[in-house]
Amino acid sequence: MTFTRRETLAVGGAALAVAALPAKLMASTADLIAGVTGGAAASSDGIELTAPEIAENGNTVPIAVSAPGAVAITLLAGGNPTPGVATFNFGSGSAEQSASTRIRLAGTQDVIAVAKMADGSFVAAAQTVKVTIGGCGG
Amino acid sequence: MAKGVKPRVKVPKKADAGEAITIKTLISHKMESGQRKDSDGNRIPRSIINRFTCAFNGTSIIDVTLEPAISTNPYFQFEAVVPEAGEFHFTWYDDDGSVYETKKAVKVA
């Protein structure tokens, strides 16, 4: 199979467009994380975000998050009309800094968890959830 | 929306001193997000539970800020330490100012 110059350009252009898409998503994810941390860098160690890969119903998507040693965990969904989902503030009586809940997602998007650790540093995790039916009404 | 709100909490009845237990809470609530429209195209005003707290004998365990992106009938599961016998105190704060409370006692074996 040989490519003409024209075909090569077309294929290359399409590949570029595909490559640019995730980069755009990543940028908004980074912006959201920076919004919580106040611009401080967030590492990815020590936080675990459990979300389904595919959620058929965007009205109830089960999410679990765990970050040992965290004082607060913020959940964000960048593709929703309002990105904030919930903030868990852990008190001294909590055994393990983990929580699970059910959230609404308007469409396929990244779910982000940002944890503030006791020493003031931040850790963050993100996972893409594919949503078949959005959960924000019309 | 203060009708039909019923908190449900699952806490073990007994625990060892210092044991970590799992607590599950559910409260029936519409959690109207403020995004939906009724059949006439009017926006349905937001009406959600915006805060949930759990404390054991006055010690805070978890304090959650809820946004409209939390599903109908908000469900939470989390872990708590039981240092001594006592009572878990759960509180939900509604947008309309209502406060829903429930208590569960735990014995130490």
Side-chain angles (χ1 to χ4, degrees):
Chain A
M1 188 174 169
T2 52
F3 279 123
T4 64
R5 180 171 174 276
R6 187 168 299 202
E7 279 168 354
T8 313
L9 277 177
V11 169
L16 269 179
V18 169
L21 264 176
K24 217 172 167 186
L25 277 175
M26 288 298 287
S28 72
T29 302
D31 286 351
L32 283 170
I33 294 173
V36 174
T37 62
S43 74
S44 56
D45 301 335
I47 183 164
E48 198 174 327
L49 176 65
T50 314
E53 246 174 66
I54 298 175
E56 280 180 11
N57 183 356
N59 268 314
T60 48
V61 184
I63 299 286
V65 64
S66 151
V71 290
I73 300 179
T74 304
L75 281 179
L76 299 161
N80 276 3
T82 50
V85 173
T87 305
F88 301 97
N89 295 297
F90 296 102
S92 52
S94 66
E96 189 183 295
Q97 282 69 34
S98 68
S100 53
T101 185
R102 299 199 272 247
I103 70 170
R104 290 181 178 136
L105 294 175
T108 300
Q109 59 181 288
D110 280 0
V111 175
I112 306 153
V114 184
K116 186 183 184 195
M117 304 312 251
D119 62 2
S121 65
F122 291 94
V123 292
Q127 196 189 326
T128 306
V129 179
K130 286 194 175 115
V131 177
T132 318
I133 304 169
C136 283
Chain B
M1 142 83 198
K3 56 172 190 276
V5 176
K6 188 184 171 205
R8 266 167 277 192
V9 173
K10 200 164 190 181
V11 178
K13 285 194 173 66
K14 277 190 283 184
D16 295 329
E19 190 191 345
I21 59 165
T22 302
I23 297 177
K24 295 176 181 176
T25 73
L26 183 82
I27 185 164
S28 49
H29 194 285
K30 272 168 86 175
M31 295 293 278
E32 193 58 64
S33 67
Q35 302 285 340
R36 298 198 310 148
K37 288 174 181 165
D38 63 16
S39 50
D40 300 329
N42 301 315
R43 204 164 278 274
I44 304 171
R46 172 183 134 154
S47 168
I48 66 166
I49 288 173
N50 55 44
R51 186 169 169 229
F52 163 70
T53 62
C54 174
F56 181 75
N57 289 351
T59 310
S60 168
I61 290 161
I62 198 167
D63 183 340
V64 188
T65 310
L66 287 76
E67 306 284 346
I70 296 291
S71 299
T72 306
N73 302 341
Y75 161 83
F76 292 108
Q77 180 186 328
F78 50 90
E79 309 238 326
V81 176
V82 184
E84 73 260 336
E87 207 170 41
F88 284 100
H89 197 144
F90 305 89
T91 319
W92 291 262
Y93 299 84
D94 198 306
D95 264 355
D96 67 9
S98 311
V99 175
Y100 314 112
E101 285 176 285
T102 187
K103 289 172 184 172
K104 285 276 175 189
V106 174
K107 285 180 196 149
V108 168

